[in-house]
Amino acid sequence: RVLPHPQAPSTSSAARAHAHQQLAQWRMLVAYEQSNPLKLAAADHAEAMQCVFGRCAACLRFYPQPWWAAARFYAAQQQPAAAERFLRRGTDALPHFLPLHFALAEHHERQHDFTAARKALERALEHNPDAPLAWIRLMQHVRTAKAAAAVPSAGRCERHQLEYGRPIAVRKEGPNK
């Protein structure tokens, strides 16, 4: 079977309707395969899903849904390298789509790789220099990275004080307190 060449989303209503139908069919196929109908072992199922997500992304390259769905699946399967690979390929295919860049940066932050997270956000700014949300997200990242570097094993109170400049008001227990 020959897969169609990926096409950028069209502006005509007929092409949009066709793309919407194709997206819905791919979602159904991905959901079916995720249910593991053949009862494959975990490793075999992950390999089969990689094939499904690869085909889906090949057909719908210029849509964010396949990249996001694949990354969510692999994050849930505790496979961060595969999740990162799909998010990175998604940002390559859709460089002006900010949520994929933000998802990649958040993925790196969860892995405590703040340098890679900053690079992902800077790449988003290269493609979207006039997007205020990208600048805001970069500033949030810088604040988070500084707090993590300053007190990597800090508790909730210490992190709150670093972030907001004031300690959490702790309620004292007791009858007269």
Side-chain angles (χ1 to χ4, degrees), residues 8-145:
S10 178
T11 56
S12 75
S13 61
R16 277 196 315 250
H18 175 71
H20 182 69
Q21 181 183 15
Q22 189 178 26
L23 184 61
Q25 290 172 345
W26 272 109
R27 280 186 182 156
M28 288 178 10
L29 176 66
V30 168
Y32 175 75
E33 291 294 337
Q34 280 182 329
S35 71
N36 196 2
L38 298 176
K39 307 295 183 218
L40 299 172
D44 294 335
H45 183 244
E47 189 176 326
M49 287 307 299
Q50 175 140 5
C51 201
V52 169
F53 282 126
R55 288 181 179 165
C56 181
C59 286
L60 301 171
R61 177 177 172 80
F62 298 109
Y63 292 87
Q65 292 89 344
W67 306 110
W68 176 248
R72 277 195 352 235
F73 173 78
Y74 284 112
Q77 298 295 316
Q78 303 299 319
Q79 296 182 13
E84 178 186 349
R85 184 173 58 249
F86 272 96
L87 285 171
R88 191 172 305 284
R89 287 172 50 201
T91 58
D92 290 343
L94 299 162
H96 297 289
F97 190 72
L98 287 175
L100 280 177
H101 288 280
F102 296 163
L104 180 60
E106 185 177 329
H107 172 78
H108 287 304
E109 285 177 355
R110 287 184 180 165
Q111 303 298 316
H112 302 288
D113 187 356
F114 295 106
T115 304
R118 184 179 181 112
K119 286 180 183 176
L121 291 170
E122 287 173 349
R123 185 166 183 263
L125 283 168
E126 286 175 16
H127 295 288
N128 304 284
D130 297 329
L133 192 55
W135 287 102
I136 291 168
R137 182 65 185 93
L138 179 63
M139 289 185 283
Q140 289 172 338
H141 164 74
V142 168
R143 186 176 61 206
T144 302

